[in-house]
Amino acid sequence: MPSVCFVTLSRSDYASLRPVALAALADPAIDLRLIAGGSHALARYGNTLEQIRADGLPLHAVARFLHETDDSPSELAAAYARAVAQFVPILTEQRPDYVFVIGDRWELLAVVSAAAMLQIPIVHHSGGDITQGSSDNQTRYALSTLAHLHLVALPEHRERLLRMGEQDWRVITTGEPALTALAAQDRIAPDVHGRFGLRPGEPFVLATFHPTSFDSAPPERQVEVFLQALDGIVCAVVLTAPNPDPASALFLARYRAYAAAHPNVRLYDSLGTRHYYAAMAQAQYMIGNSSSGLWESASFRLPVVNVGPRQQGRVHGSNVLHCDLDPQAIAAAIARATDPAWRTGLDGNNPYVKHDTLALILNCFKHPWDRGRLLAKRFMDPLAQRSA
């Protein structure tokens, strides 16, 4: 029976990892080992280790490498070094057959660096994607270079990895696992209006806006323009905290001050997967630059105002409206998102949905791979192929 270390270090990767981990836990042919940490262990992000336990998943180890006040590039670089130092003994003790990571967060580089040095095969989901406006794009391709098996959401993601020199048999198209959790959402949707202190059926907007690495505007200007956009929203706003990136503490401090001064704004460190999806299902529209606005939103027919360059280049449904980080551009996108004529044309088609996603992923762990062949990656040189 293969033992697999599933690693989650933030709420963003947990949304995708959670349904896979639950399916692996229920599969008698897989020995699940769950390692959590990073922002999950921080109070400012809602101490979401408790959410993982409440989901029924066992925690085999916790990596506490982020400090509550870490915010600058130098502080996060030091946190990365601590993460590598912690994951070496964690993975040495667990001795898994595979390490499984999802996404493009900088914290995951520490995991795969340690696993690679320990010669543990790495299975990575989410390679081959594009988000040109964020440093996550560079992290994603670094993760792919170190990974030994690639599970990708879309056929075009697979093609990009093949053109990077990955061997064909290593790259498997599975769809996006976060979307598999939506099938049960209608049956178990929690009362989000009650959670937010709203009247039943009261309209609200879901807002999630993170610092952007490569925006020409400095972080102070980014958050200022975003909050100016929120000024024009008259209904309730459900605002979630930013990811632990450089300047996230600045964003969170501004959000707290803004929520305190605006009674229609509810700020949450973390909503949890079920409440977040329920909010997506019932919100008037979504505004910000979260990946969930491009991945999950189409399944809910949720209009999305995607602000700035963070998600530039990523495939999305017809429900997404892109706009610059500019008050007038954002206002124009909101006007379109709330236009009944435009909303009626949303078809709910989500390019990331694949009906057998979980089975494809679990079968990857259960396949009798040759360990030596997995670890000995061979670069498929496009120059050599051209000359042949």
Side-chain angles (χ1 to χ4, degrees):
M1 177 190 304
S3 63
V4 185
C5 274
F6 285 59
V7 184
T8 174
L9 301 178
S10 69
R11 70 186 186 204
S12 59
D13 70 57
Y14 184 63
S16 294
L17 183 135
R18 175 180 175 269
V20 186
L22 289 171
L25 184 64
D27 192 324
I30 295 176
D31 178 16
L32 168 74
R33 315 282 181 84
L34 187 63
I35 302 171
S39 60
H40 283 303
L42 298 184
R44 63 171 161 149
Y45 294 103
N47 191 23
T48 45
L49 291 174
E50 297 308 314
Q51 177 192 334
I52 296 172
R53 292 189 178 99
D55 286 336
L57 290 167
L59 286 178
H60 292 81
V62 176
R64 301 180 185 273
F65 55 87
L66 271 173
H67 298 156
E68 289 286 353
T69 56
D70 285 346
D71 186 55
S72 68
S74 61
E75 289 169 334
L76 294 180
Y80 169 80
R82 292 192 295 271
V84 175
Q86 288 188 33
F87 272 102
V88 170
I90 287 174
L91 294 177
T92 299
E93 179 181 358
Q94 294 296 326
R95 298 173 62 189
D97 294 302
Y98 305 99
V99 168
F100 179 50
V101 294
I102 294 182
D104 50 26
R105 297 285 308 161
W106 62 268
E107 302 98 314
L108 297 178
L109 280 174
V111 181
V112 300
S113 296
M117 293 298 294
L118 294 169
Q119 297 188 3
I120 301 171
I122 300 158
V123 183
H124 174 232
H125 188 288
S126 302
D129 201 352
I130 294 180
T131 50
Q132 300 280 28
S134 170
S135 60
D136 292 347
N137 201 60
Q138 299 171 20
T139 301
R140 184 184 310 110
Y141 284 90
L143 291 169
S144 292
T145 298
L146 288 170
H148 303 96
L149 288 172
H150 311 278
L151 311 179
V152 299
L154 299 174
E156 49 262 56
H157 297 170
R158 182 178 191 276
E159 182 62 26
R160 288 195 187 103
L161 292 182
L162 295 180
R163 295 193 183 195
M164 282 177 56
E166 294 293 336
Q167 293 169 285
D168 182 271
W169 61 269
R170 294 182 184 270
V171 190
I172 303 165
T173 305
T174 67
E176 168 50 46
L179 302 178
T180 64
L182 304 185
Q185 184 64 32
D186 291 340
R187 300 195 306 271
I188 60 174
D191 174 20
V192 291
H193 282 82
R195 168 79 183 274
F196 302 150
L198 302 175
R199 300 184 308 275
E202 182 177 348
F204 67 90
V205 171
L206 183 60
T208 304
F209 187 70
H210 307 291
T212 300
S213 313
F214 303 138
D215 199 304
S216 57
E220 294 83 356
R221 178 61 180 167
Q222 292 178 34
V223 69
E224 177 187 352
V225 172
F226 182 67
L227 293 178
Q228 286 178 12
L230 297 190
D231 285 341
I233 300 175
V234 296
C235 67
V237 176
V238 176
L239 176 62
T240 59
N243 287 331
D245 293 315
S248 63
L250 165 70
F251 273 48
L252 188 56
R254 291 292 305 276
Y255 289 169
R256 286 174 174 161
Y258 188 85
H262 294 77
N264 69 313
V265 177
R266 279 86 166 153
L267 174 63
Y268 293 90
D269 294 332
S270 174
L271 290 177
T273 303
R274 289 177 60 243
H275 281 91
Y276 189 73
Y277 286 163
M280 293 183 75
Q282 299 180 50
Q284 276 199 318
Y285 60 91
M286 183 176 181
I287 182 171
N289 59 8
S290 170
S291 59
S292 61
L294 281 76
W295 280 350
E296 294 99 323
S297 64
S299 295
F300 295 105
R301 291 183 173 84
L302 175 66
V304 174
V305 175
N306 182 61
V307 179
R310 183 181 177 90
Q311 303 295 339
Q312 183 180 353
R314 178 167 268 168
V315 173
H316 58 82
S318 60
N319 62 309
V320 179
L321 300 168
H322 297 283
C323 64
D324 293 334
L325 183 69
D326 171 80
Q328 291 183 332
I330 298 172
I334 290 175
R336 190 175 182 198
T338 53
D339 179 2
W342 180 78
R343 293 169 67 99
T344 56
L346 301 182
D347 55 18
N349 290 331
N350 192 323
Y352 293 95
V353 170
K354 194 173 175 63
H355 76 278
D356 52 352
T357 292
L358 292 180
L360 288 168
I361 295 175
L362 295 188
N363 287 341
C364 176
F365 302 133
K366 293 184 284 187
H367 185 84
W369 303 106
D370 180 275
R371 180 185 175 89
R373 188 180 184 217
L374 273 181
L375 291 173
K377 289 187 69 173
R378 180 183 178 189
F379 178 69
M380 304 303 291
D381 188 352
L383 298 182
Q385 294 175 41
R386 186 187 308 167
S387 61

